[in-house]
Amino acid sequence: MGQLGSKHGQRASISEEPPQYYLPRVNNTGQPDGFSDVNIPPPPSVTFSTDSGYPDRDGRDSTDARRPSIYSTIDALPKADYYANVNSVSVRKPRKRPSLDLLRKPFDVSNSFMSPEDGNGEVGVSGDGSLPDLNDAEIGVAGKDEKPPIRFGWIIGVMIRCMLNIWGVILFLRLSWLTSQAGILLMWLIIFMSITVTTATALSVSAISTNGRVKSGGTYFMISRSLGPEFGGAIGAIFSFANALAAALNTVGYAEVVRDLLEERNSLMVDRINDVRIIGVVTQTILLIIAFCGMEWEEKTQLLFFVALMLSFANYLAGTVMPSPVEKQAIGVFSYRREIFVDNLLPSWRGPDGNFFKAFAIFFPSATGILSGVNICGDLKDPCSAIPKGTLWAIFWTTFSYLVVSVTSASCLIRDASGNIADMLPANYTGGDCVGVACQYGWNFTQCITEHNCKYGLANSFQALSQLSGTGYLIVVGVFAASLSSALAFQVSAPKIFQCLCQDNIYPYIKFFGKGYGKNNEPLRGYALCYVLAVATILIADLNFIAPLISNFFLCAYGLINFSCFHATVTNSPGWRPEFKYFSKWTALYGTCMSVLLMFLLTWWAALFTFFVLCCLLGYVTYSKPKVNWGSSMQASTYKIALAQSVTLSTVEDHVKNSRPQCLVLTGPPNLRPGLVDFVSSFTKTNSLMICGDVIMEKNQVIVSASGTDGFVKWLNKRKVRAFYTPFLAESLRVGARNLMQASGLGKLKPNVLIMGFKNNWTECQPSGVLDYVNTINDTFDSNYSVCLLRMMDGLDVSDELECEINESFEPDDLNESEENTSADKEDAGTKEDTDGVPSGQIRTVFQTSQRKKTIDVYWISDDGGLTLLVPYLMTRRRLWRNSKVRVFIISDQANMEEDRKEMKALLKRFRLDFKDVIAVTDSTKPPQLKNQRRFEDIIAPFRLRDEEQEDVSVQQLRAESPWKISDKEMEALNQKVSMPVPQSDCPSILYMAWLDALTCGLSCPTALIRGNQENVLCFYL
């Protein structure tokens, strides 16, 4: 065994035979089956060992990630690290498995050990044969003096937190009153209707949270990673703001109860409103201090509130079974009685707002709060397991408590009581004028019932639970605990959601609040911001406007969570594989519809305002296009819709009314010929197909770089060109164009027009290059494609104008880092736009500037099916060309000029083309000017094949050796041709190029030579 080297106790060694479990099956001779007669030495293998004992994150030795193999010495075992999100912010740099290129390289002992970060970015073995150095951050070993971050389980982190947030002042101050209005039966129906919405949302949350690793950010993180940054950014801003306002709302609720207690004892500090402000600000400050102390102290405080609530519930239930003294009977408390239960079964609506929907609107906010555990998902030990279990159990226990409180209070307390002991009936009372169920228990509350001035009873007092309980003080403690626990939960949730939103950098100027502190990455700046918003809300002291908005914001979040689950299920993306199976797309759709319906049912104006804010935020994120890619269901839906529509389109028969130029543009690298790209985009954008074809003719290149392809696509997108980019490796332009015409497109989305730039240097290049160019045009017509050649006075190639020089003295050592920095700089430059909407740093062309009232001249000399007319018409539909005037030139003679003009105008009118200026050219038979004739002859003179010059060699032999040569016979035939030429099979390439050059020479404006495929693209019938 020969050692290659060692470093820090790590070694790599070469053995003469591979491990036994990788050996092929052998026969009795010791050779593999089928090779007994062949002397084949066993291939070498690489084995790794380590003396350092550094454990990996999963507890295994780091060398377990590699397997010795007779095929590859660096092939990696399946490992979770290779599937980590490379775009996430992590202390540890994610590992990469060896690339295919690296695995396919021939085995060589001298160079088989790659550096930890070689040119391909793979993590391998260092140059001396040792494994890369591992540090504490990489192997997950925390420092001895540093405590691990606080993580919560499903009971404390989710269930108790959700229960505390669901329970609120409505449970203690409104539930009994609602039961008196709706009756026990309808009250249970209201509870179950509310629970169906929250349960459907909880099922959707459970499905989303178990579809992958959930990080901090709660509701925003789930919606943004499911529906994309547009919906996620909007709901993240709304939901974090709603949580901040909800913290203030619950604090004000607590302050009002304290204020009422002070007022009963004549101990107000200032007045009713200012006392609420003072108590609220002091309370909010205390909650801020608890939040600053960290999640550990916040957890202990919440547990204290939970214990207080449990004592309050126990006190209430004990009070319902205790005998009622005379004082309690005077206010309507009689313990459990069958008659009271029966009397309270049915509804007794009172007041102008007494109806089922009003009662539902009042109760429903008490069923919310199920997202409290989700909002701190970054502080949970196992969010995927804790969120479903804790949320569903919280809904179960809170629902059970609501049902118990409603039925017990309605079984012990009558609806109306005066509170006057004098209303007790004598023992021998036999009169029949007593009204109400209390008459059976010796009390006559008839007077207050008939006069509707009863102060006590289930329907008149909000303090029913205090009256029923063993001691009212514990109920007050319960009210305090319910209010403060919710306020503290919202005080913590809002900054955590906002922190994740700031870190994603979706909105500008908020990244300052994304910084975290301490082992739990606490958003201290977010806590301060939430405190400022809450205090400002408390100082208003009138929450009648804010409370409906908070409810609508929460319902909007519920609706989007349910829609996220529904949309992900419907799109059926392969990445949608939630571990939680107890959900359905129909429950998610029900939750979505009910959330929207409840928004308008609760407060219609608040619902409209919520949708307005949502649309504004959604529009901003859609316009700004943040540079994030989270693999959302919207992307899956886009693919699925495009695939379905493409398949459907393939079954639709073509019709001339739907004809449009679908262009294959031989641009080469698009950024080198922006004029050609912009010209085609001016009549295809959002209207037809455009494919930028790049024929790569580099001899040594065997594959097309994916990063280069992505770079050109980004360049097209920044230039706002709606086009595809397709590179193709070929030995010549003709071969590449032919293959692109055959393979480009999908179904009916297939090019029918080939567009190229005019070859300006045809007189300077090799004749074989001209032949290749002209043969490409021939192949295009053979494929039944139309052809368009664009010529500009200064040419189309702008590579000389691009600044691409690099100072090698300052070139970075790391190639990958250099490429990343360069691409980042290009992206930053591409996001800035000038006044005309063209990204700065890109070359402007004439097709990107407004043409105002300039002229487009169309020479419709030969009828090619109408493509020559259709292209300028499509250009005039664009904003930049809308005011341009189109003139149509036709061939005629002096005698029939007016008649031909009228006929052409009539045809254009039937085509519904607003080209009213028709000009007849009557001198088409006139010979060219002498200087132009001489110029033409001088251009082709070097390529003439003069018959009289051939002595010993036949003309046919010379033509075979030089097919681009022009004979005298072909020159004579040229004098009879006019218009945009279609190259005939026997036309020399040089003659054809000279012909095109003569037609467009000397024109300062862009010139397009268009020839259709003789099929109609215009019609004048329905």
Side-chain angles (χ1 to χ4, degrees):
M1 181 182 294
Q3 292 186 358
L4 294 180
S6 62
K7 183 180 181 180
H8 301 295
Q10 300 170 354
R11 300 188 302 272
S13 61
I14 301 282
S15 62
E16 294 302 327
E17 61 181 28
Q20 184 176 0
Y21 49 85
Y22 280 107
L23 282 174
R25 187 175 58 185
V26 297
N27 52 28
N28 295 330
T29 63
Q31 295 289 344
D33 286 345
F35 296 92
S36 58
D37 298 332
V38 183
N39 185 17
I40 301 178
S45 65
V46 179
T47 58
F48 297 96
S49 62
T50 177
D51 295 337
S52 62
Y54 284 141
D56 207 347
R57 283 196 296 185
D58 55 4
R60 299 187 304 167
D61 188 68
S62 301
T63 59
D64 291 342
R66 300 187 175 277
R67 80 173 68 175
S69 170
I70 63 174
Y71 300 109
S72 174
T73 60
I74 58 173
D75 215 352
L77 289 170
K79 193 174 182 63
D81 285 355
Y82 300 136
Y83 299 89
N85 183 9
V86 297
N87 296 322
S88 64
V89 179
S90 176
V91 176
R92 173 174 177 165
K93 184 177 180 180
R95 294 184 177 181
K96 294 182 181 180
R97 66 177 64 86
S99 65
L100 272 177
D101 182 58
L102 188 61
L103 292 176
R104 293 177 68 244
K105 288 182 178 179
F107 178 81
D108 187 1
V109 174
S110 62
N111 61 9
S112 61
F113 298 96
M114 308 300 294
S115 62
E117 294 179 3
D118 59 4
N120 296 322
E122 283 80 23
V123 177
V125 187
S126 60
D128 60 356
S130 63
L131 289 172
D133 291 337
L134 302 177
N135 52 42
D136 289 346
E138 289 180 334
I139 63 178
V141 179
K144 296 181 179 180
D145 298 333
E146 183 180 357
K147 294 182 179 179
I150 302 298
R151 294 289 183 260
F152 307 122
W154 71 273
I155 296 179
I156 297 178
V158 182
M159 188 186 75
I160 292 179
R161 185 176 296 273
C162 288
M163 292 173 66
L164 288 172
N165 214 3
I166 293 173
W167 285 326
V169 294
I170 293 179
L171 170 65
F172 294 96
L173 303 181
R174 291 294 185 272
L175 183 58
S176 59
W177 176 79
L178 289 174
T179 305
S180 72
Q181 294 274 324
I184 297 175
L185 296 179
L186 288 185
M187 190 64 232
W188 278 35
L189 178 62
I190 291 173
I191 293 174
F192 281 117
M193 286 179 61
S194 302
I195 297 307
T196 56
V197 179
T198 56
T199 303
T201 306
L203 295 177
S204 299
V205 166
S206 301
I208 298 174
S209 63
T210 58
N211 192 49
R213 182 183 177 186
V214 179
K215 298 170 58 179
S216 62
T219 306
Y220 159 72
F221 184 85
M222 291 186 176
I223 295 178
S224 62
R225 271 55 176 181
S226 299
L227 292 180
E230 294 82 8
F231 283 98
I235 202 60
I238 290 177
F239 198 62
S240 55
F241 182 70
N243 274 266
L245 296 185
L249 181 66
N250 284 274
T251 304
V252 170
Y254 162 79
E256 288 180 348
V257 175
V258 175
R259 187 267 320 271
D260 293 340
L261 293 176
L262 294 176
E263 189 176 15
E264 291 177 1
R265 292 162 176 76
N266 296 322
S267 302
L268 289 178
M269 293 177 286
V270 182
D271 53 46
R272 290 176 55 86
I273 295 179
N274 287 312
D275 279 17
V276 171
R277 291 170 175 164
I278 295 172
I279 297 171
V281 171
V282 172
T283 304
Q284 196 66 41
T285 305
I286 296 174
L287 296 179
L288 175 65
I289 295 174
I290 296 175
F292 271 144
C293 291
M295 291 299 297
E296 188 175 2
W297 282 91
E298 191 266 350
E299 172 204 1
K300 295 177 180 179
T301 306
Q302 293 286 27
L303 287 177
L304 180 63
F305 290 146
F306 184 76
V307 172
L309 278 170
M310 292 298 100
L311 291 176
S312 179
F313 281 130
N315 170 61
Y316 164 75
L317 293 176
T320 58
V321 297
M322 294 171 60
S324 300
V326 175
E327 292 78 6
K328 282 196 172 184
Q329 292 183 7
I331 59 177
V333 178
F334 293 96
S335 190
Y336 291 102
R337 300 299 173 94
R338 183 178 64 85
E339 294 80 9
I340 298 178
F341 172 78
V342 173
D343 184 65
N344 287 328
L345 276 177
L346 300 179
S348 176
W349 305 111
R350 302 184 182 186
D353 295 331
N355 56 72
F356 178 83
F357 292 105
K358 186 66 176 180
F360 181 83
I362 295 175
F363 174 78
F364 181 78
S366 66
T368 60
I370 61 172
L371 299 180
S372 296
V374 177
N375 291 336
I376 64 161
C377 55
D379 298 301
L380 300 177
K381 294 179 181 178
D382 184 9
C384 294
S385 173
I387 290 175
K389 192 185 302 182
T391 304
L392 292 175
W393 274 111
I395 293 176
F396 172 79
W397 288 117
T398 52
T399 303
F400 179 76
S401 66
Y402 286 144
L403 296 176
V404 169
V405 170
S406 63
V407 71
T408 53
S409 62
S411 300
C412 300
L413 188 61
I414 62 176
R415 281 193 170 102
D416 299 293
S418 63
N420 190 355
I421 300 180
D423 290 336
M424 179 184 295
L425 294 174
N428 57 355
Y429 177 77
T430 59
D433 57 349
C434 185
V435 178
V437 69
C439 299
Q440 304 177 34
Y441 309 122
W443 291 86
N444 184 5
F445 301 129
T446 304
Q447 182 177 358
C448 74
I449 293 175
T450 55
E451 295 179 358
H452 303 290
N453 59 1
C454 294
K455 296 182 179 179
Y456 297 95
L458 204 63
N460 303 295
S461 175
F462 294 147
Q463 305 295 330
L465 265 64
S466 297
Q467 297 164 4
L468 283 169
S469 62
T471 171
Y473 294 107
L474 285 180
I475 297 297
V476 174
V477 171
V479 174
F480 289 169
S483 301
L484 294 178
S485 63
S486 297
L488 180 58
F490 288 128
Q491 171 70 38
V492 172
S493 299
K496 288 186 176 292
I497 297 172
F498 193 64
Q499 180 188 32
C500 186
L501 177 65
C502 296
Q503 290 175 347
D504 287 339
N505 202 23
I506 292 180
Y507 296 105
Y509 312 119
I510 62 173
K511 197 171 183 178
F512 173 80
F513 298 99
K515 182 176 176 58
Y517 297 87
K519 56 189 178 183
N520 276 68
N521 196 30
E522 298 289 349
L524 301 184
R525 297 175 179 177
Y527 289 152
L529 178 62
C530 179
Y531 171 76
V532 172
L533 291 175
V535 169
T537 305
I538 292 171
L539 293 178
I540 297 176
D542 183 9
L543 301 180
N544 293 331
F545 175 78
I546 298 175
L549 287 178
I550 297 175
S551 299
N552 273 269
F553 287 166
F554 277 92
L555 283 171
C556 184
Y558 291 172
L560 283 179
I561 288 175
N562 284 291
F563 181 73
S564 301
C565 182
F566 171 77
H567 193 264
T569 307
V570 169
T571 54
N572 200 20
S573 172
W576 176 246
R577 303 184 300 274
E579 296 179 9
F580 185 82
K581 304 298 182 182
Y582 305 101
F583 75 98
S584 169
K585 61 182 178 182
W586 303 116
T587 59
L589 181 62
Y590 168 79
T592 303
C593 297
M594 285 299 297
S595 298
V596 176
L597 179 63
L598 289 175
M599 290 176 66
F600 287 93
L601 182 64
L602 296 180
T603 313
W604 65 269
W605 60 264
L608 292 178
F609 181 79
T610 302
F611 278 109
F612 172 75
V613 175
L614 180 67
C615 291
C616 291
L617 295 174
L618 180 66
Y620 173 79
V621 179
T622 303
Y623 175 78
S624 62
K625 294 182 178 62
K627 297 179 180 63
V628 293
N629 183 12
W630 295 323
S632 65
S633 61
M634 287 297 181
Q635 295 174 338
S637 176
T638 301
Y639 173 83
K640 189 173 183 179
I641 293 173
L643 181 62
Q645 294 297 326
S646 299
V647 174
T648 303
L649 184 62
S650 63
T651 63
V652 178
E653 296 183 2
D654 293 330
H655 194 280
V656 64
K657 287 193 293 185
N658 295 321
S659 297
R660 62 194 68 207
Q662 301 190 124
C663 304
L664 172 61
V665 193
L666 299 184
T667 59
N671 62 328
L672 298 185
R673 293 176 179 83
L676 186 59
V677 173
D678 295 336
F679 164 68
V680 181
S681 177
S682 64
F683 61 86
T684 61
K685 187 174 183 180
T686 69
N687 187 60
S688 58
L689 177 68
M690 176 182 174
I691 299 177
C692 294
D694 184 5
V695 180
I696 302 174
M697 294 179 287
E698 296 184 13
K699 296 181 179 180
N700 297 327
Q701 188 167 355
V702 294
I703 59 173
V704 179
S705 173
S707 59
T709 301
D710 295 339
F712 290 128
V713 172
K714 290 179 180 179
W715 183 89
L716 291 170
N717 291 334
K718 290 174 184 177
R719 205 170 180 86
K720 299 182 179 179
V721 175
R722 299 295 176 259
F724 300 96
Y725 170 74
T726 304
F728 193 87
L729 291 171
E731 59 184 10
S732 65
L733 175 66
R734 181 183 185 183
V735 175
R738 182 193 302 163
N739 284 281
L740 283 173
M741 286 187 288
Q742 293 176 1
S744 297
L746 180 67
K748 291 297 179 68
L749 294 175
K750 192 174 182 63
N752 53 23
V753 180
L754 180 71
I755 301 179
M756 297 189 296
F758 182 79
K759 194 174 183 63
N760 285 330
N761 64 340
W762 68 274
T763 59
E764 303 170 1
C765 66
Q766 293 293 329
S768 58
V770 180
L771 180 62
D772 190 49
Y773 182 83
V774 175
N775 283 337
T776 301
I777 299 176
N778 283 317
D779 292 343
T780 304
F781 286 121
D782 291 341
S783 302
N784 201 30
Y785 272 54
S786 302
V787 176
C788 175
L789 304 178
L790 177 65
R791 182 173 188 179
M792 300 180 68
M793 180 179 62
D794 297 329
L796 296 171
D797 197 335
V798 297
S799 55
D800 294 338
E801 301 180 34
L802 297 177
E803 297 181 359
C804 55
E805 298 181 358
I806 300 177
N807 190 340
E808 297 181 358
S809 300
F810 298 93
E811 187 174 356
D813 295 332
D814 191 344
L815 181 59
N816 293 333
E817 181 182 357
S818 174
E819 292 178 353
E820 291 176 0
N821 294 337
T822 303
S823 61
D825 294 341
K826 290 181 178 178
E827 290 180 3
D828 294 340
T831 55
K832 300 178 182 179
E833 298 184 358
D834 55 22
T835 56
D836 291 335
V838 181
S840 60
Q842 296 194 9
I843 296 177
R844 181 192 301 276
T845 65
V846 66
F847 302 102
Q848 290 180 310
T849 57
S850 178
Q851 302 302 311
R852 299 179 182 176
K853 295 185 179 181
K854 294 183 180 180
T855 302
I856 302 176
D857 290 341
V858 180
Y859 289 83
W860 200 22
I861 299 174
S862 298
D863 193 339
D864 60 350
L867 183 63
T868 308
L869 290 177
L870 182 60
V871 169
Y873 165 72
L874 294 176
M875 293 180 66
T876 56
R877 293 171 60 175
R878 297 293 304 277
R879 178 180 57 86
L880 298 177
W881 298 82
R882 187 168 299 163
N883 298 323
S884 300
K885 179 182 179 182
V886 179
R887 299 188 302 182
V888 179
F889 291 80
I890 60 174
I891 299 296
S892 180
D893 53 37
Q894 196 67 34
N896 302 318
M897 180 177 62
E898 290 299 327
E899 183 179 352
D900 292 342
R901 290 182 67 252
K902 290 180 181 179
E903 183 179 348
M904 179 55 64
K905 285 185 177 181
L907 180 60
L908 294 175
K909 184 176 182 181
R910 297 184 69 182
F911 284 148
R912 301 174 304 282
L913 299 175
D914 192 18
F915 302 163
K916 297 180 180 179
D917 198 352
V918 177
I919 301 174
V921 179
T922 59
D923 57 352
S924 60
T925 58
K926 184 178 178 181
Q929 296 181 5
L930 183 59
K931 63 176 182 178
N932 294 333
Q933 182 72 24
R934 289 178 178 176
R935 178 184 178 277
F936 181 79
E937 293 177 353
D938 292 340
I939 291 176
I940 64 175
F943 308 100
R944 291 293 301 274
L945 183 65
R946 302 186 185 277
D947 298 342
E948 62 274 10
E949 295 179 359
Q950 315 308 322
E951 297 178 356
D952 299 332
V953 183
S954 63
V955 177
Q956 290 77 9
Q957 185 177 353
L958 287 174
R959 287 303 306 271
E961 296 176 357
S962 303
W964 52 82
K965 292 285 187 176
I966 306 171
S967 65
D968 293 339
K969 184 178 180 180
E970 291 165 341
M971 280 297 299
E972 294 175 0
L974 175 65
N975 297 328
Q976 302 175 3
K977 299 183 190 299
V978 293
S979 82
M980 164 64 182
V982 176
Q984 297 180 355
S985 58
D986 60 346
C987 180
S989 58
I990 295 295
L991 179 60
Y992 185 70
M993 289 302 300
W995 196 352
L996 298 182
D997 186 83
L999 289 174
T1000 58
C1001 178
L1003 298 178
S1004 59
C1005 58
T1007 304
L1009 298 172
I1010 301 175
R1011 184 73 192 200
N1013 59 356
Q1014 304 302 110
E1015 295 181 3
N1016 291 345
V1017 295
L1018 296 174
C1019 69
F1020 46 76
Y1021 54 86
L1022 289 176

